[in-house]
Amino acid sequence: SLAENQLIRLSQSLFNGLDNLNQLYLQINLLSSLPQNVFSRLEQLESLVLSYNQLVDLSEETFYGLRHLKSLNLAYNLLNDLPLGVFSR
């Protein structure tokens, strides 16, 4: 779990080599944005928790490659809207 670590940003390659990760907890941090495709190598990810951050916007590529994602929590962020295709890939 990377929850409650006061993370400000995530590097593009942070999750490289974690191909079998199925749960990722990033809640209660200070993230205001996410790199494009940051989660793309986490093909087995089923649960992603990003609640209680400061996310302002997401790109269409944010969740690219997450074919097995079943649960996504974006509660308590600063998101006003989502790009049209954010969940289509």
Side-chain angles (χ1 to χ4, degrees):
S1 173
L2 294 172
E4 299 185 58
N5 280 291
Q6 298 183 2
L7 298 174
I8 306 169
R9 70 182 68 86
L10 303 178
S11 74
Q12 181 69 40
S13 60
L14 180 63
F15 303 114
N16 288 0
L18 298 176
D19 303 345
N20 294 317
L21 189 70
N22 59 21
Q23 297 179 350
L24 180 55
Y25 300 97
L26 288 163
Q27 73 270 24
I28 314 172
N29 279 295
L30 302 171
L31 300 171
S32 59
S33 64
L34 298 169
Q36 289 185 359
N37 300 318
V38 68
F39 306 116
S40 64
R41 296 185 185 251
L42 300 178
E43 294 179 5
Q44 301 303 315
L45 197 67
E46 294 180 359
S47 178
L48 177 57
V49 181
L50 289 162
S51 57
Y52 294 96
N53 276 286
Q54 298 174 4
L55 294 172
V56 176
D57 60 9
L58 299 173
S59 76
E60 285 187 29
E61 294 83 17
T62 300
F63 305 114
Y64 178 77
L66 299 181
R67 293 178 184 90
H68 297 284
L69 193 66
K70 296 176 184 172
S71 175
L72 173 63
N73 189 336
L74 291 167
Y76 300 100
N77 278 287
L78 303 174
L79 297 166
N80 288 322
D81 57 11
L82 297 173
L84 187 58
V86 72
F87 300 114
S88 64
R89 296 185 178 184

